Amino acid sequence: MPAQFVRWFREIGLADVALVGGKNASLGELYRELTPVVIRVPNGFAITAEAYRHFLRAAGLEGEIRTALSGLDTRDLTGLADRGRRIRELILSRPLPDDLRREIADAYTELCREFGPNTDTAVRSSATAEDLPTASFAGQQESFLNVRGERELIEAVRQCIASLFTDRAISYRVDKGFDHLAVALSVGVQKMVRSDLGAAGVLFTLDTESGFPDVVLINSAYGLGESVVKGRVDPDEFLVFKPTLKTGSRPILKRAVGAKQEKLVYATRGRSTRAVPVSAEDRGRLSLTDDEVLTLAQWGCQIEDHYSTKAGRPTPMDIEWGKDGQTGELFILQARPETVHALARKAMREVYTLNECGPVLLKGRSVGEKIGAGPVRVVKDVDSLKQFKPGEVLVADMTDPDWEPTMKMAAAIVTNRGGRTCHAAIVSREIGVPCVVGTGNATGTLKDGQSVTVSCAEGEVGVVFAGRLNFTRKEVDLGSLPRPKTKVMVNAGNPDQAFALASLPCDGVGLAREEFIISSSIQVHPLALIHFDKVPDGPAKEKIAELTRNHTDRPSYFVEKLAEGVARIAAAFYPREVIVRLSDFKTNEYAGLLGGEPFEPKEENPMIGFRGASRYYDPRYKEGFLLECRAMKLVREGMGLTNLKLMVPFCRTVEEGKRVLAVMAEAGLKRGENGLEVYVMCEIPSNVILTEEFAEVFDGFSIGSNDLTQLTLGLDRDSEIVAHLFDERNAAVKKLIADVIRRARACGRKVGICGQAPSDYPEFARFLVECGIDSISLNPDTVLKTTQEIVDMERQLAGGKPRKEAVFA
């Protein structure tokens, strides 16, 4: 009922929000039991479902409609179209009953007295079976904008009624099992919000891709919201974290400028609306301010809370909104339950199994545990990426960070070179694409168009088979898995995947990498932003200027983008701990960032050069590190994500650790304040040898088995020549790891591992449990399998078997 609807919104604190410009919640649900045919509501009126039934009875259409739909097969698209057209023609051939026309005319006359002659209205249809928790029916019926005058209004109402029998609406009702004549239609008529002069869009009170429930997703574009709803434009996108928003923080996790190619505005003659191009200047900036984003997010939370209370269960919402360009006011236009993720099965995970074998073409190191199949596409350079099609198997000598968007479209990835810690391997794990690296000659063996199957489900060795082989994917109920006492964490780096990873049965993030965010999202060397005048003229400088065009000072671009990326990971796992490793690029990698070359020295061996902690206090980079600190402070204090902890990489000496902490404190990140913990990467033999001394400086240790193995065995982990010697299971490496676990725990410090070894070798995970490690951070694709190994080992140790000395051979 309209009065009840207004009262609901007043109860949840939205009395100051004018509910105009579209249907209020589900008008069908609100009015379907009412007998009046027209009811006045604030800023408009509602033509009820009873009016629709009255029209059908007066026109004698019920029997004809039932006959037209008799024997319908929705798989026969031609037949469906023919029946739908006939019914719509029947409806449009009959006038509205005189009493209904009079009531609509009287209601519109009253509206014009309030808002002026020929008041512009939105005429929105809403079916009685629409916006249900199990069936949204969204977009099935028509709506009309900028409708003026009695004649146009009556015609729009008739068109709304006829739209109950569009092909898509008929088919949808069949799919959902609804009786066509049991579904009725109401029509909402209300004064338009002048968002044609402002902006409009949609917000969801969850992440629409992963179903992650703790964010508000907002899409926004200039002009009337229909252009966003119907996908005519690429809108701006914002993400806001609900839990800390409700406690007064400003947790905007993402701001992404969309293309916003056109906007829908009022037409001057002949048509109600028209699309016009958006200027280049407006396209390049965001269509909402931060305050407006936060206001919409707060309203979304309030609406969701209200409907969740009424339903007695969490009820995520799909909400349309508009911003009046004349007054600057925001309005809620429509609210309905989200029905995709609300009904999805939770806590499920994929497991892949190869059901047959074929001729083996290549072998290499497997990355992940998935299987993919498709036609080969050999990519020799960046230009040939243009030929790549979704679903193909990307074959290359090695991959480049710039290829990441293409890699996400691949069925699988195969490279000639690289080890388990190379770019192709790391990115493939992050995006969940099966990958086989180090095959030797994939680009020479495989040919474009050749069908292959890439399997990483066979353990350490990845295999490329000829042909498309049969494989199965099954889902595992994560809720039924046992939880170990040892904390199981995940390694993360790509914020876009954080919400999906958060569903894994884990205790948080043991390693969140900044490097992916910096290279993919920021793209610019921090010192090039601080000292823009020192960047040589050319394409790089032009690109930096373009990326930072919406920022009054360029360094704030780095701070904002890094904070957003880290915050998305921290929010996904909140309140579980998320340990972010401060930047650990090598000098050659920093130089590869936009504008980076003038600020980086050239080193013969960057792997053991100017990297990690040594950069943070050095005058040559300290300014850049302070930008990182500003970003981390923003995440913890501005966004309220105090589950974020920090980790210092490649810290060679105790004194170096103290100097880094001093710089962090200078930036407002003081260890111990507001619960801030700072860890050190244990990846250099000196970190083990001086465990007790480092324990006095830091809150805990995270073992980096990749670098620790490299430096213990004295080899370059990127060298294929000595790759066969790189093995974290080497006795010397295991002895160091066992030693630091024992001594760190004796000092009362936490100790975990975030390196590759436990993800690759189940026996290594068992070794760590036996040593008494506090936490094990794994690649996401190995969490399920390795967790079981950890549980089994804990049970074995609890069964009375004495803890033996670690076996190092």
Side-chain angles (χ1 to χ4, degrees):
M1 300 63 174
Q4 180 181 354
F5 181 73
V6 173
R7 188 163 59 253
W8 287 344
F9 273 80
R10 189 172 293 125
E11 288 171 358
I12 61 174
L14 290 179
D16 60 328
V17 181
L19 302 166
V20 303
K23 58 184 178 180
N24 291 333
S26 170
L27 290 175
E29 182 181 347
L30 295 171
Y31 308 136
R32 62 187 170 205
E33 296 180 359
L34 296 177
T35 52
V37 292
V38 176
I39 296 177
R40 307 303 194 270
V41 298
N43 307 309
F45 55 93
I47 303 164
T48 71
E50 180 57 31
Y52 165 78
R53 297 187 183 98
H54 174 45
F55 165 67
L56 290 189
R57 289 193 298 266
L61 288 175
E62 289 178 324
E64 293 185 69
I65 291 173
R66 199 173 290 281
T67 298
L69 292 173
S70 178
L72 171 67
D73 181 0
T74 55
R75 293 171 297 182
D76 176 6
L77 298 182
T78 301
L80 172 64
D82 179 62
R83 293 166 191 258
R85 184 180 62 255
R86 275 190 284 148
I87 295 172
R88 294 192 298 275
E89 288 174 351
L90 278 172
I91 291 172
L92 293 173
S93 69
R94 312 292 170 89
L96 296 180
D98 288 342
D99 58 342
L100 178 56
R101 289 179 63 96
R102 283 195 300 272
E103 287 206 45
I104 294 173
D106 289 347
Y108 182 66
T109 299
E110 280 190 35
L111 197 63
C112 290
R113 287 196 196 103
E114 182 177 357
F115 293 104
N118 269 1
T119 292
D120 51 330
T121 62
V123 182
R124 307 287 294 270
S125 57
S126 183
T128 54
E130 189 174 355
D131 302 339
L132 300 176
T134 56
S136 74
F137 277 80
Q140 301 302 315
Q141 284 78 51
E142 297 293 347
S143 294
F144 301 91
L145 303 178
N146 190 26
V147 176
R148 298 168 181 264
E150 181 182 321
R151 180 183 298 177
E152 283 192 18
L153 175 59
I154 295 295
E155 180 58 26
V157 170
R158 295 175 69 242
Q159 292 287 345
C160 282
I161 293 172
S163 74
L164 191 59
F165 294 93
T166 59
D167 300 351
R168 62 183 182 270
I170 294 171
S171 178
Y172 194 85
R173 286 193 293 272
V174 170
D175 292 342
K176 295 295 182 179
F178 286 95
D179 183 336
H180 295 287
L181 289 174
V183 175
L185 189 92
S186 61
V187 179
V189 180
Q190 289 190 290
K191 173 72 175 73
M192 285 281 291
V193 170
R194 291 307 302 269
S195 56
D196 63 306
L197 303 174
V202 179
L203 73 83
F204 284 83
T205 59
L206 49 58
D207 176 56
T208 54
E209 302 308 311
S210 66
F212 180 70
D214 286 341
V215 290
V216 174
L217 169 68
I218 301 173
N219 281 161
S220 172
Y222 299 117
L224 300 171
E226 187 177 356
S227 59
V228 175
V229 174
K230 294 190 174 180
R232 293 176 178 170
V233 298
D234 299 321
D236 296 337
E237 183 170 301
F238 306 88
L239 277 172
V240 182
F241 186 52
K242 292 190 289 189
T244 58
L245 174 71
K246 293 178 180 180
T247 60
S249 295
R250 297 172 63 85
I252 300 178
L253 307 180
K254 181 180 181 182
R255 303 171 183 84
V257 177
K260 303 184 293 294
Q261 299 91 331
E262 62 182 39
K263 61 180 176 180
L264 202 63
V265 299
Y266 282 9
T268 53
R269 63 177 94 171
R271 294 171 296 163
S272 58
T273 60
R274 64 190 178 97
V276 299
V278 176
S279 69
E281 181 180 357
D282 283 344
R283 290 179 63 180
R285 66 185 182 187
L286 294 168
S287 50
L288 290 175
T289 66
D290 283 0
D291 286 343
E292 289 167 341
V293 169
L294 293 169
T295 296
L296 288 172
Q298 288 166 345
W299 289 353
C301 290
Q302 291 172 311
I303 294 169
E304 179 185 52
D305 289 346
H306 167 73
Y307 280 102
S308 295
T309 300
K310 286 187 66 66
R313 54 175 170 73
T315 305
M317 300 297 291
D318 169 357
I319 300 168
E320 293 182 26
W321 60 272
K323 176 185 175 181
D324 193 303
Q326 292 179 325
T327 66
E329 295 176 279
L330 293 170
F331 296 87
I332 295 296
L333 308 180
Q334 169 178 300
R336 59 176 169 232
E338 187 275 344
T339 58
V340 176
H341 292 290
L343 301 176
R345 297 174 67 195
K346 306 296 183 183
M348 303 302 291
R349 196 69 182 174
E350 298 174 326
V351 176
Y352 286 75
T353 305
L354 190 63
N355 298 324
E356 60 177 326
C357 289
V360 175
L361 301 176
L362 293 162
K363 289 186 178 182
R365 296 178 178 87
S366 65
V367 178
E369 297 177 314
K370 293 186 177 182
I371 301 171
V376 166
R377 174 69 65 183
V378 178
V379 177
K380 295 183 178 179
D381 51 40
V382 174
D383 290 337
S384 57
L385 284 176
K386 300 173 184 177
Q387 302 169 8
F388 192 88
K389 298 175 182 177
E392 291 182 325
V393 175
L394 192 159
V395 178
D397 181 47
M398 59 188 300
T399 64
D400 184 270
D402 292 336
W403 294 16
E404 192 263 346
T406 302
M407 294 169 70
K408 290 192 291 189
M409 300 189 297
I413 298 168
V414 183
T415 69
N416 292 344
R417 297 188 282 161
R420 292 179 289 104
T421 56
C422 71
H423 173 264
I426 291 172
V427 172
S428 295
R429 291 187 195 99
E430 296 278 358
I431 63 179
V433 173
C435 177
V436 178
V437 300
T439 61
N441 191 31
T443 54
T445 303
L446 305 178
K447 307 299 180 186
D448 281 349
Q450 178 182 4
S451 291
V452 298
T453 299
V454 179
S455 176
C456 295
E458 315 303 312
E460 288 183 41
V461 178
V463 183
V464 180
F465 297 96
R468 286 178 175 263
L469 302 182
N470 177 263
F471 64 90
T472 55
R473 180 187 68 84
K474 68 177 181 179
E475 293 185 324
V476 177
D477 183 359
L478 302 181
S480 66
L481 295 176
R483 298 292 299 131
K485 294 179 181 178
T486 305
K487 284 188 176 183
V488 175
M489 317 283 277
V490 293
N491 298 331
N494 185 348
D496 292 338
Q497 296 180 342
F499 296 152
L501 293 181
S503 66
L504 287 169
C506 66
D507 299 291
V509 176
L511 172 62
R513 306 178 185 92
E514 287 187 7
E515 291 80 22
F516 186 92
I517 301 168
I518 294 172
S519 61
S520 298
S521 179
I522 299 172
Q523 304 178 47
V524 186
H525 194 290
L527 295 181
L529 297 167
I530 297 171
H531 303 288
F532 185 65
D533 57 317
K534 295 182 180 179
V535 179
D537 292 337
K541 191 166 190 173
E542 293 171 3
K543 180 66 174 177
I544 295 171
E546 179 188 344
L547 289 170
T548 59
R549 65 184 179 276
N550 290 323
H551 292 76
T552 52
D553 68 291
R554 290 190 171 87
S556 68
Y557 164 79
F558 184 94
V559 173
E560 179 183 286
K561 292 301 178 185
L562 181 57
E564 287 177 0
V566 168
R568 263 186 283 166
I569 298 173
F573 291 85
Y574 185 88
R576 292 170 287 178
E577 67 179 1
V578 171
I579 303 173
V580 171
R581 184 182 69 189
L582 298 165
S583 64
D584 192 25
F585 279 128
K586 288 74 176 174
T587 49
N588 58 319
E589 294 167 334
Y590 268 117
L593 296 172
L594 289 172
E597 198 165 334
F599 303 100
E600 293 297 332
K602 288 182 170 56
E603 298 183 295
E604 291 297 323
N605 192 348
M607 185 70 76
I608 54 174
F610 189 44
R611 62 173 287 201
S614 63
R615 298 180 65 94
Y616 303 159
Y617 57 86
D618 191 291
R620 284 169 288 192
Y621 186 72
K622 180 181 174 181
E623 288 177 301
F625 179 62
L626 287 172
L627 295 186
E628 288 185 48
C629 293
R630 280 175 54 189
M632 299 306 106
K633 183 178 172 68
L634 175 59
V635 174
R636 285 182 51 84
E637 298 181 11
M639 302 187 193
L641 293 163
T642 53
N643 61 321
L644 179 70
K645 302 179 180 183
L646 301 178
M647 182 158 62
V648 178
F650 224 74
C651 186
R652 295 172 169 96
T653 70
V654 174
E655 181 59 32
E656 191 167 58
K658 293 177 180 178
R659 296 183 70 176
V660 170
L661 291 181
V663 176
M664 293 172 62
E666 179 184 329
L669 289 172
K670 189 172 182 180
R671 176 186 163 217
E673 283 190 358
N674 196 23
L676 175 61
E677 293 185 358
V678 183
Y679 289 69
V680 65
M681 284 286 289
C682 180
E683 54 190 341
I684 305 171
S686 64
N687 303 140
V688 180
I689 296 167
L690 298 177
T691 298
E692 290 77 12
E693 288 81 355
F694 277 101
E696 292 179 4
V697 179
F698 295 102
D699 295 291
F701 297 80
S702 184
I703 300 166
S705 58
N706 296 343
D707 272 331
L708 187 60
T709 301
Q710 171 178 246
L711 296 173
T712 300
L713 300 181
L715 54 81
D716 181 353
R717 61 184 170 128
D718 285 345
S719 170
E720 290 185 24
I721 299 173
V722 295
H724 65 284
L725 295 172
F726 185 92
D727 190 343
E728 298 96 323
R729 296 167 295 182
N730 180 276
V733 179
K734 291 176 70 176
K735 188 167 186 177
L736 288 177
I737 290 174
D739 193 33
V740 74
I741 293 173
R742 175 180 58 80
R743 292 164 61 192
R745 287 173 61 85
C747 293
R749 293 302 188 215
K750 301 173 186 176
V751 58
I753 187 168
C754 60
Q756 191 68 32
S759 295
D760 288 342
Y761 309 116
E763 69 273 22
F764 200 90
R766 292 194 296 269
F767 157 75
L768 293 169
V769 173
E770 196 170 11
C771 290
I773 200 164
D774 293 309
S775 65
I776 299 176
S777 195
L778 302 164
N779 294 326
D781 55 11
T782 66
V783 166
L784 301 183
K785 179 176 68 177
T786 307
T787 296
Q788 188 60 59
E789 294 284 349
I790 294 170
V791 169
D792 291 345
M793 190 63 191
E794 288 181 347
R795 286 175 178 168
Q796 180 180 333
L797 293 172
K801 182 178 179 179
R803 182 183 295 272
K804 61 182 179 180
E805 287 300 314
V807 177
F808 303 120

